[in-house]
Amino acid sequence: MQSRQAGNGKVSSKKAAVGASVNRDKASGLNAFWLRGVAGVALILMLASLAGASLWEISHDARSVLGHERCSRVLVRELGNQVTSLQGHLRDSGLDPQIQDALRKARASDLRAGEDLLRGRIPNAVKISLLPGGETLTDDPGAQPLSYAGLDMVRLAETQGRITPLEVHRLGHQNAHLAVAGPVFDEPSGGVLGVVHVALPLSLLPSAKDAGGDVALVLFQQQVGNDVVVVDPEKSGGVPQRAPDLVMDVPGTSLRVISWATRSRLMDAPLLLFVGAAFLLVLALIGAVLWLPLRSLRRALVADYAGLVAMVEDVVNRRPMGRPSCRLAETRPVAADLGRLLGHLQPVQRPVSSAPTPGSERPDAERAPADPHRPVMKRKAKPEGIVVDELAGQIEGAGVGRRPQGEVPAEIFRAYDIRGIVGRDLTVELARDIGLAVGTETGKTSDLTVFVARDTRATGKDLSEALVRGLRGTGCNVVDLGVAPTPVLYFATRYRGEASGVMVTASHNPLSYNGFKVVIGGNTLQPEQIQGLRECILGSAFAKGDGGFRKENLIPEYIDRVRDEVALATTPRVAIDCGNAAASVVAPDLFRALGCEVVEINCDPQQAPPGGRVPDPTRPECLEALQGCVTRVGADVGLAFDGDGDRLGVVDSSGKPIWADRLLMLLAADLLSRHPGADVVFDVKSSHHLAAEVRRRGGRPLMWKSGHSNLKAKVRETGALLAGEWTGHIIFQDRWYGFDDALYAGARLLEVLASDPRPSAEVFSELPEALGTPELFLHLEEGQAPGIINSLQGFAARLEGAEVRTLDGLRVDLDDSWGLVRASNTQPALVFRFEADDKASLNRIEELFRRMMKRAAPGLELPF
């Protein structure tokens, strides 16, 4: 029996060995899993690349079709305009007494004199022939300076008594030309006295290059008898074999525009090789990155398996069984189960050490090893130059009651910033709480650095210090930039990574106001986020910590960065009016660094604003000093900045103010010359000429809500390279960071003007301009404006013959004018603006809004 059991044991052992061998042969190592992972990533990358390439090809072809259709329509329109003008000249000549008299006499000298007269009216003509009618026309082309086609055209004009369509004659010959003929009538009898035949050069055909558009080829086509011939004045090459994508008739001619759109060539061999090499390189990098954690995993597994084997060895060798500290959480349950199974085989229980007596200490050798899976609380790395005592990110608020609503006035938490009257609405204590709320929200991002700056208002220092106390109380590290314009604060949050920042300013509000513009994670807060700060204050749900503090001057770095991006072709003389506000600490040095001859007025931040008014470049009275300075010193241009330096005003070389929507036309034309088809965003207060000008330059105009935060959000959403608001906020995402920066916008304007030898007044005079009003304010009680806007929108919905927009308030566009009313985001008021082609149209649109206002809010004294 015993031998049988022994035999069975041998058989079982043999089976186990065979099974182990089989399992070992079928087992997969970590390298196999790594290869499968890399292969999966390669497949995903390949599918994503193919999908991306297909989408790119589809979108490219769609844009190409739209582009070549637009180009073709431009050519048809331009040639049609030329033909219409030529037909007008021929029509006038057919009724001219001098031409009629020359044809009646039919003498060579009289005919030549008539031709000379016509040549003065049609200067582009290669040749003009005045041919008497009747028997004077012969079928012999040698008798007249005309081809057979020309004779047919003259006879058609005589017999039908109408102007012939424009045609191409002698195509393929050296003297190929455009031709048209028109009859000359005898006024007493109404009969045809003769024909005017005009030959024009082929160069008058408009060029596809001038029309723009993404086209492979645009040609003109003409029916000649039963054949169709192609007219190619540019000698652009052979005609594609495939049928044209678009064929359009040109009115008043025998010509048609034919065009072929470009087609993407993703399957070209060189491109495929490049993409394949890039794909392999990316795959190799991914494989290398995946290999690092694989190697760490292998080491952890080996260590954990060694611990498990050690447990078995302890039991086999009849030693107290140790407990391994597994590095992987997945092997810890295995170790626990194995310990339970092996525990009953131990001959001796593991001794339990007694608790240490008070004052004694357990030897290091007996201390339990640290659990590698237990989370370890680590301090955030402190930024250079900042002392951080504690950066705990715990949120306080459990069991804390809400604060009274009256202590946190709702009216100061506006659409895109916080502002109110200091001492009444905005106190030092509330500024500290705003710092606590901003710091709490900042703690949800990856960077606890918060930049703080202030304008030159007297109340700014105390509010800034209170704000900093609140920010530091949440664990944020504050970098104080001191007195600096808002663009420098925005620059700090983007130049040093997507950090947070608070600008202490009330922009253009009276000096009794102050407030805060807030950026978190590189983005200006939206209206709902501003309200979220108020809710945080009401609930006292603040983070706790002890953040660091240091001061820094970023203005030199800002100036260097602008100088790296902007280069002026000349040395312009620039008059600068900073209103003794925050831009004073940057603007003079910046424009001198760009190579300008700077004439300063009101650039002392230690002085009060001139006239006691906060500078506002949208108010004509705030530009009067700059206008006088420009004309007095002969400056090429004048630049004005508002209280915190994020809005720009411009005065041309003649002393005339240039409002921001016309400034945007010039900047858009420059940008679109390098980025055709780019989006240009502007607000509802801007001129209707702006959209037309952007389209004319090949861009896509996008009207959006007023407010700098709204525009910046739209720029991020659409990827627009340029945006602007009528009040002077200009946003560049081309070569800049996508925030409103009047200083940088002024530099880009000088870059455009310096490349044009004409005076700036002459440059701006080419831009379309309408008769418009400034912003007109109707001050109301708090909360009254939204109801009035709703009523006005209801009335406007029933207007006929008008384009009504309710994107931001109410804008009504008529054929020759438009008007706007919207609720101000910075004060309790309605804002009106009107624009028209002439004074009578301006009066009509204002009267329309007066009637609607009388119905929506009777009894109010309107500002227009």
Side-chain angles (χ1 to χ4, degrees), residues 148-157 164-165 167 169 179-181 197:
Y148 285 111
L151 290 173
D152 289 341
M153 175 177 282
V154 169
R155 185 174 295 105
L156 181 65
T164 64
E167 296 179 353
H169 288 174
V180 65
H197 179 274

Side-chain angles (χ1 to χ4, degrees), residues 55 197 279 295 353 396 453 476 506 513 590 599 626 669 803 835 856:
L55 290 175
H197 179 274
F279 179 83
R295 187 173 61 176
S353 59
E396 180 186 66
C476 290
Y513 281 75
L590 169 64
V599 180
L626 182 61
E803 182 179 4
E835 186 181 86

Side-chain angles (χ1 to χ4, degrees), residues 275-323:
V275 172
F279 179 83
L280 293 176
L281 177 60
V282 171
L283 189 61
L285 291 175
I286 292 175
V289 170
L290 292 178
W291 177 258
L292 296 176
L294 175 69
R295 187 173 61 176
S296 298
L297 176 62
R298 180 183 284 111
R299 291 176 177 174
L301 281 174
V302 170
D304 288 357
Y305 291 161
L308 297 177
V309 171
M311 292 176 63
V312 177
E313 287 181 344
D314 287 343
V315 173
V316 170
N317 294 321
R318 306 184 67 78
R319 293 194 301 264
M321 184 177 60
R323 297 283 182 176

Side-chain angles (χ1 to χ4, degrees), residues 10-55:
K10 291 180 182 179
V11 172
S12 299
S13 299
K14 188 173 182 180
K15 288 181 178 180
V18 172
S21 175
V22 171
N23 290 335
R24 186 167 57 249
D25 291 340
K26 292 183 177 180
S28 297
L30 288 177
N31 288 343
F33 287 103
W34 172 78
L35 288 173
R36 292 172 189 168
V38 172
V41 170
L43 180 59
I44 292 172
L45 279 176
M46 184 178 297
L47 293 176
S49 300
L50 291 174
S54 300
L55 290 175

Side-chain angles (χ1 to χ4, degrees), residues 530-773:
I530 295 286
Q531 294 304 315
L533 295 180
R534 181 170 185 264
E535 287 299 316
C536 181
I537 296 171
L538 289 173
S540 298
F542 303 130
K544 295 177 64 178
D546 187 8
F549 175 85
R550 67 181 168 90
K551 295 184 177 182
E552 185 174 351
N553 180 14
L554 267 183
I555 292 175
E557 290 185 58
Y558 173 85
I559 292 176
D560 289 343
R561 187 72 184 87
V562 175
R563 187 170 53 186
D564 290 343
E565 288 297 333
V566 177
L568 306 186
T570 61
T571 304
R573 176 178 291 182
V574 183
I576 294 177
D577 186 351
C578 298
N580 293 334
S584 303
V585 302
V586 181
D589 293 338
L590 169 64
F591 290 102
R592 286 193 179 96
L594 291 174
C596 301
E597 180 185 343
V598 176
V599 180
E600 299 181 26
I601 59 172
N602 303 320
C603 290
D604 185 356
Q606 303 300 324
Q607 299 294 323
R613 290 193 304 255
V614 177
D616 182 354
T618 64
R619 310 303 298 176
E621 61 270 18
C622 291
L623 296 177
E624 291 175 355
L626 182 61
Q627 291 174 271
C629 178
V630 167
T631 56
R632 185 175 63 255
V633 303
D636 296 301
V637 71
L639 303 178
F641 304 95
D642 71 335
D644 63 327
D646 61 357
R647 294 190 295 134
L648 177 65
V650 177
V651 172
D652 69 17
S653 55
S654 70
K656 178 182 177 180
I658 304 298
W659 304 118
D661 47 6
R662 294 187 71 223
L663 171 62
L664 205 62
M665 296 178 195
L666 183 63
L667 296 175
D670 174 68
L671 180 136
L672 291 170
S673 67
R674 297 184 303 276
H675 303 283
D679 291 344
V680 177
V681 181
F682 53 90
D683 75 322
V684 294
K685 295 194 293 290
S686 298
S687 170
H688 67 286
H689 289 305
L690 176 56
E693 192 69 9
V694 170
R695 291 192 191 96
R696 189 175 75 84
R697 298 289 184 173
R700 188 169 75 120
L702 296 174
M703 181 181 290
W704 194 238
K705 302 175 184 177
S706 291
H708 62 90
S709 66
N710 293 325
L711 289 184
K712 281 179 280 195
K714 197 64 175 177
V715 165
R716 289 195 302 272
E717 174 192 337
T718 63
L721 299 182
L722 177 64
E725 186 182 14
W726 185 85
T727 55
H729 290 279
I730 304 293
I731 300 169
F732 274 98
Q733 196 162 237
D734 169 52
R735 296 155 48 191
W736 204 237
Y737 297 96
F739 56 76
D740 42 329
D741 186 340
L743 298 162
Y744 180 75
R748 288 290 290 265
L749 171 63
L750 291 179
E751 186 178 57
V752 175
L753 294 176
S755 63
D756 195 318
R758 297 173 297 170
S760 62
E762 188 174 339
V763 174
F764 282 114
S765 67
E766 292 187 347
L767 301 175
E769 183 177 14
L771 184 64
T773 68

Side-chain angles (χ1 to χ4, degrees), residues 716-840:
R716 289 195 302 272
E717 174 192 337
T718 63
L721 299 182
L722 177 64
E725 186 182 14
W726 185 85
T727 55
H729 290 279
I730 304 293
I731 300 169
F732 274 98
Q733 196 162 237
D734 169 52
R735 296 155 48 191
W736 204 237
Y737 297 96
F739 56 76
D740 42 329
D741 186 340
L743 298 162
Y744 180 75
R748 288 290 290 265
L749 171 63
L750 291 179
E751 186 178 57
V752 175
L753 294 176
S755 63
D756 195 318
R758 297 173 297 170
S760 62
E762 188 174 339
V763 174
F764 282 114
S765 67
E766 292 187 347
L767 301 175
E769 183 177 14
L771 184 64
T773 68
E775 286 185 303
L776 305 173
F777 288 86
L778 173 60
H779 295 279
L780 304 169
E781 296 295 329
E782 192 69 49
Q784 189 177 0
I788 297 176
I789 292 294
N790 288 336
S791 298
L792 289 172
Q793 290 175 345
F795 297 145
R798 296 189 291 272
L799 291 176
E800 295 183 359
E803 182 179 4
V804 176
R805 292 184 176 94
T806 57
L807 175 69
D808 184 3
L810 171 66
R811 174 165 168 155
V812 178
D813 283 77
L814 305 178
D815 291 338
D816 54 2
S817 60
W818 62 268
L820 169 74
V821 57
R822 54 181 293 276
S824 171
N825 290 322
T826 59
Q827 53 188 303
L830 291 179
V831 184
F832 297 86
R833 185 163 186 264
F834 304 97
E835 186 181 86
D837 293 338
D838 51 52
K839 183 63 176 176

